[in-house]
Amino acid sequence: MLPSVDTNDELEAVVGDEALLRPAAQDLCAQLGLAGARIVRFPEGSLPVYAVGDALVLKLYPGFEAAEAVREARLLSHLWGQLPIPTPRLQAADQYKNGWRFVLMSRLPGEDLNEAWPRIPRADQERIVAETAECLAALHALDPGPVASVVGPPDWPRFLAGQRAAAVEQQASGGLPEPWLEQIPDFLRSVLPLTAPARPVLLHTELMREHLTVDPHDDWHLTGLFDFEPAMIGAPAYDFVSVGLFLTAADPALLKLFYDAYGRSPFDPRELMAYTLLHVYSDLNWYLRRLPAPPRKDLDALAETWFGTGG
């Protein structure tokens, strides 16, 4: 029986306990008419996720993330068949026990793009980036109204203000050194006010290689985009943070290609740096270990290094 989980600390204690989680996943599968199906835990992710047979995926959410479960289920239902890249098809979603919820969805074929990336020829990498940009443009073109009741935030400027107030503390908790921390308040003040967007759009918020799949046997054709649990409605630039950090990974030529395929001129790198600091999952210290270092240890140089297009 899964225990009630109400905090991230409690979730961390449970999420690694496969002796506790697997029987619950098997019980759920039996309730869903999938008794006896082969269940394999995916090693990645902060939530328990299982492959069920070859065609399905079961994702479990603790009680304090019930809203995320409802959001993902609604978005999977809403987005099915609407984007150039396939998304999982919702099969079932409901409450389970002790506040836990589940989403059962179709499994996307192919291989994790992040794992495959080093083996993919440059020309195919460029095509993948362009096709992903076209998909993001299609997502941003959709009317967010039908999912607005479950996708926030309700007030974008208020959300940004809250993130701004907590920005230094958030980065400090990730171990960011003081020379970087002390720049954050002045840098955010120096960027033009980040106000309500003229046209709020539906945001994926984590458009990265880890959330895309490709077919290695079919010229690295894109086979899927997943993980809509953290989706939001807000400014389009917010989605370009994960694009620059995790899809194009500070490669200016790839980022320019992404903008061209998306159909817009580049955002100001300083604006994207500001959104990087204000992002819900921002961890600048981790990014600094993973991405190219700037010529100077200041946020302006960092913005150009990570979000510049070489033009």
Side-chain angles (χ1 to χ4, degrees), residues 84-85 125-141 207 222 240 243 247-248 252-267 309:
I85 300 174
Q125 290 179 347
E126 292 174 351
R127 175 182 49 77
I128 287 168
V129 165
E131 290 176 357
T132 305
E134 292 167 358
C135 182
L136 186 64
L139 177 68
H140 288 178
L207 189 64
L222 278 165
F240 281 76
V243 168
L247 180 64
T248 60
L254 287 181
L255 185 56
K256 183 179 186 304
L257 179 64
F258 190 97
Y259 279 119
D260 290 344
Y262 178 92
R264 65 152 293 134
S265 58
F267 288 105
T309 57

Side-chain angles (χ1 to χ4, degrees), residues 73-260:
R74 178 74 70 83
L75 281 166
L76 291 180
S77 179
H78 177 64
L79 293 175
W80 172 252
Q82 294 214 62
L83 299 180
I85 300 174
T87 56
R89 186 171 192 174
L90 180 67
Q91 303 294 318
D94 208 339
Q95 296 182 358
Y96 179 49
K97 298 174 181 177
N98 287 337
W100 286 78
R101 299 187 69 93
F102 72 90
V103 172
L104 183 70
M105 66 193 88
S106 63
R107 183 175 181 178
L108 296 167
E111 182 179 343
D112 180 299
L113 176 60
N114 190 53
E115 294 180 3
W117 189 261
R119 311 195 319 269
I120 301 176
R122 177 69 179 195
D124 290 312
Q125 290 179 347
E126 292 174 351
R127 175 182 49 77
I128 287 168
V129 165
E131 290 176 357
T132 305
E134 292 167 358
C135 182
L136 186 64
L139 177 68
H140 288 178
L142 294 176
D143 177 10
V147 295
S149 61
V150 297
V151 180
D155 186 322
W156 185 253
R158 180 175 294 180
F159 161 73
L160 293 181
Q163 292 299 107
R164 184 191 295 258
V168 174
E169 181 180 355
Q170 178 172 344
Q171 299 303 332
S173 69
L176 186 67
E178 185 60 35
W180 289 104
L181 287 173
E182 64 187 15
Q183 298 178 49
I184 292 174
D186 285 343
F187 179 83
L188 290 176
R189 279 193 293 268
S190 73
V191 178
L192 292 174
L194 301 171
T195 56
R199 189 182 72 84
V201 301
L202 184 57
L203 305 169
H204 184 283
T205 78
E206 292 194 293
L207 189 64
M208 55 182 68
R209 296 175 194 171
E210 290 85 347
H211 294 151
L212 290 158
T213 53
V214 290
D215 186 347
H217 306 297
D218 184 20
D219 297 325
W220 303 106
H221 178 71
L222 278 165
T223 58
L225 170 65
F226 62 96
D227 198 10
F228 290 91
E229 167 199 331
M232 302 171 70
I233 295 174
Y238 192 87
D239 254 342
F240 281 76
V241 171
S242 57
V243 168
L245 297 179
F246 300 112
L247 180 64
T248 60
D251 182 323
L254 287 181
L255 185 56
K256 183 179 186 304
L257 179 64
F258 190 97
Y259 279 119
D260 290 344

Side-chain angles (χ1 to χ4, degrees), residues 187 266-274 300 303-305 307-309:
F187 179 83
F267 288 105
D268 182 343
R270 299 181 78 252
E271 179 182 1
L272 294 187
M273 191 70 241
D300 286 309
E304 190 59 40
T305 300
F307 298 110
T309 57

